[in-house]
Amino acid sequence: MNLTRRTFIASAALLSIVRPDLALKGGAQSWAEETVAFNRANLTFAPSNDVGFAGFFGTRYKQSLDRLASQPIDNVPFVLDDVNFNQKRRFYNYSGDISGRYLEVASLTSTKDRPTTPILPEVIDEIVQYQNPDGHFGREVDWNKTIDVAGSTDQSLEMPILWGNGRLILGLFAAYERFGNEKALEAGKKLADFYVNIVVKRFCDPARMDEYEQQAKGYAAAYVTCVFHGIEGLVRAYRVTGEKKYLDCAVTMADFHEHFDTLPVGHSHGSISAHEALVMLYEDTNDKKYLDRVLKRWDEAVYQGFVNPSGGVCENYIVCGHSDEGCSEADWLRICLMIWRNTGNVKYLDFAERMLYNEYLMNQWDTGGFGHRYMVSDDKGCFAWGERYAESYWCCSYHGPLGYYELKEFFAVGSICPKTGENMVYYNFPLEFTTPLTLDGAKWQIMSRQLPADANCPIKTVATIAGPYKAPVKFAVRVPEWAQRVEVSRDSENVEAALADGYAIIDGKVGDELTVSYFGVPFIEDRRFHRIPTPVDSTKVDECVLRYGPYVLAVEESGDPKIRDLNLKLDQNGVIQIPDSLTNAYDMTHEERDGKYTFVFNISFEK
């Protein structure tokens, strides 16, 4: 294990200690002085199911899908208990939470002729019969009575139903879109009508603000968590049916939600999913206020400590959280991707990558599912991973693969170069994949495979371009925030590249086999993601995070985690030397990821 770290130690002196300004060869200055006019409308995404996903993370994705067909979630009675109450399993009162999540991820990852799980067709056919006359699924409710929040997720009624129905509306429309099931479409529309006719009037009523305020600040069964969870499904209903009443209802709910849209809040999964809906509203209305709300919240979460150095958030959307949650980690990954899709700012891809290589791996279990682990925090936020304590097959094991599923679409994205009008490919993640793209009406294919890491390059890949005969293409390689520089070579010769908006852009062509080298050395950050210059002399830096490549480095704990004191050496070139006692989530085995690890240190540097 730990090949990447040990390989680095062998010859780290080959690299400069000073991070360049990412200026690359040939024409970099002209691009670097201006920004590329990023245009969401010009982007071309490959459908996720058409993208081949291989290598280390491809295996983890496959394991997450295999988990959907294993016990105890591999049978129809278990999946449907939250709508027909055939057994008393956990969270049965969240009507649609498991069944809706199951429908969504299993349908999306299926092809029309090959369901992801054997029981999926039966679940789709049976679930629609449990819909109530008013459109909702679950117990009968007097929706006009005062909100019942009993203080326990297992005791309250109305809010859990709304939470589950928010997930189920997405599942029903996913089943229709994938399989053309008309019963699923009709049930989805009827559920969307329930929001139009009942939910928005009852739970977005300015005259009842006192009631909402009293119930807003709780956890999984709270007003702010459960009511606004349905906005995403309403936007999906509009996109599928074209019926504007659903978009209008989503807008009304989103505007009313703004009053409660604050940090901290009791439930990060619910909060981030509401922001995913705001991004979707921006895409459908072009009203920038929705995107601005998301960008503002993202900055607050990141730079005020709600996002921890490993790239994740806690289950409670607070700074001093005690546990993570796979659903929330998937949502944080997804929201970063969605924001890039609408802004072109690579910092959001940087955070998605940090999440993937660190928190996502630490949250995923050896079964392939996702769940919870203890996090250790102080008044500044989380500084250590505690032990895993629950694989949450009632929620996280569905949402985790959904995050992987959406990530696949962003590996390689087609566009049009705003300077030349040529076809362009954004090569966003140096992973192993095959992505088909349609550019200017023609079929292209981008293939990526990883090469062994070495001291100079924490990550190195080979990217191959296939497409129309002799067609040119601008190939834009994201320069990660951890990289000193990125070099692209063809036939062992460096290709001239220009830098623009965080991408190294080269003139590519069909048939290219490009070696992409991501150069980097260890560096330190503070606990709010700000780079700290590597010391030039012996000194001490308190409460810092040690990074190498996309990895957050950590030390295993045998007792209670704490902010540890480390003594690190600088070589003759000032490069930080990494001792073998440090590790990272990527290098760990499944068993090792179960353990406790500190990732914030007080470091004494010795020259």
Side-chain angles (χ1 to χ4, degrees), residues 35-107:
T35 59
V36 171
F38 185 84
N39 185 348
R40 169 171 52 89
N42 286 337
L43 299 182
T44 301
F45 293 88
S48 180
N49 287 340
D50 292 343
V51 176
F53 195 5
F56 177 87
F57 286 108
T59 298
R60 301 302 283 150
Y61 174 54
K62 182 180 183 303
Q63 290 171 334
S64 74
L65 294 182
D66 291 342
R67 181 68 184 96
L68 300 177
S70 56
Q71 294 182 347
I73 61 180
D74 61 342
N75 62 89
V76 176
F78 179 90
V79 172
L80 293 184
D81 180 61
D82 57 26
V83 293
N84 66 12
F85 312 109
N86 67 86
Q87 55 185 263
K88 193 171 181 179
R89 62 156 165 76
R90 194 171 189 184
F91 298 124
Y92 68 94
N93 55 330
Y94 283 75
S95 296
D97 195 21
I98 286 182
S99 54
R101 292 178 191 275
Y102 179 90
L103 278 180
E104 182 182 21
V105 70
S107 295

Side-chain angles (χ1 to χ4, degrees), residues 42-305:
N42 286 337
L43 299 182
T44 301
F45 293 88
S48 180
N49 287 340
D50 292 343
V51 176
F53 195 5
F56 177 87
F57 286 108
T59 298
R60 301 302 283 150
Y61 174 54
K62 182 180 183 303
Q63 290 171 334
S64 74
L65 294 182
D66 291 342
R67 181 68 184 96
L68 300 177
S70 56
Q71 294 182 347
I73 61 180
D74 61 342
N75 62 89
V76 176
F78 179 90
V79 172
L80 293 184
D81 180 61
D82 57 26
V83 293
N84 66 12
F85 312 109
N86 67 86
Q87 55 185 263
K88 193 171 181 179
R89 62 156 165 76
R90 194 171 189 184
F91 298 124
Y92 68 94
N93 55 330
Y94 283 75
S95 296
D97 195 21
I98 286 182
S99 54
R101 292 178 191 275
Y102 179 90
L103 278 180
E104 182 182 21
V105 70
S107 295
L108 289 174
T109 57
S110 296
T111 62
K112 188 171 183 178
D113 300 322
R114 188 175 181 181
T116 294
T117 63
I119 67 171
L120 178 58
E122 186 177 351
V123 171
I124 297 172
D125 287 341
E126 185 175 340
I127 195 170
V128 296
Q129 67 182 279
Y130 301 115
Q131 191 166 26
N132 289 296
D134 67 0
H136 88 276
F137 289 77
R139 305 291 189 190
E140 292 186 6
V141 175
D142 178 2
W143 294 107
N144 288 313
K145 74 182 186 68
T146 302
I147 296 173
D148 169 27
V149 179
S152 168
T153 58
D154 296 323
Q155 295 172 350
S156 53
L157 180 63
E158 296 95 335
M159 293 300 104
I161 289 176
L162 290 182
W163 172 274
N165 278 246
R167 297 256 43 109
L168 185 49
I169 191 172
L170 292 164
L172 290 168
F173 282 115
Y176 167 70
E177 289 186 281
R178 182 62 73 232
F179 302 108
N181 188 299
E182 291 292 336
K183 290 182 179 180
L185 173 63
E186 291 306 310
K189 291 173 62 177
K190 190 174 179 180
L191 180 50
D193 287 337
F194 164 71
Y195 278 85
V196 173
N197 299 326
I198 294 177
V199 174
V200 71
K201 296 175 182 178
R202 166 61 182 89
F203 297 106
C204 299
D205 181 357
R208 305 182 80 153
M209 287 296 288
D210 288 345
E211 178 187 358
Y212 305 151
E213 289 280 9
Q214 291 174 12
Q215 309 298 347
K217 300 300 183 183
Y219 168 55
Y223 164 83
V224 73
T225 296
C226 298
V227 170
F228 304 106
H229 191 57
I231 303 174
E232 185 180 356
L234 285 165
V235 181
R236 181 66 64 194
Y238 167 70
R239 291 182 175 183
V240 172
T241 69
E243 295 187 35
K244 192 170 181 294
K245 63 180 177 180
Y246 301 133
L247 182 64
D248 292 341
C249 184
V251 166
T252 299
M253 292 181 69
D255 291 345
F256 199 77
H257 172 250
E258 187 171 11
H259 176 77
F260 304 94
D261 191 10
T262 60
L263 284 177
V265 70
H267 197 254
S268 59
H269 175 24
S271 180
I272 300 171
S273 67
H275 275 242
E276 291 163 359
L278 294 182
V279 178
M280 295 169 67
L281 276 179
Y282 166 68
E283 292 173 344
D284 284 11
T285 66
N286 288 317
D287 191 334
K288 196 169 180 293
K289 71 180 181 182
Y290 297 117
L291 181 62
D292 288 343
R293 278 174 58 184
V294 175
L295 299 181
K296 179 176 181 292
R297 167 57 55 80
W298 191 95
D299 283 346
E300 291 171 349
V302 169
Y303 301 118
Q304 294 180 17

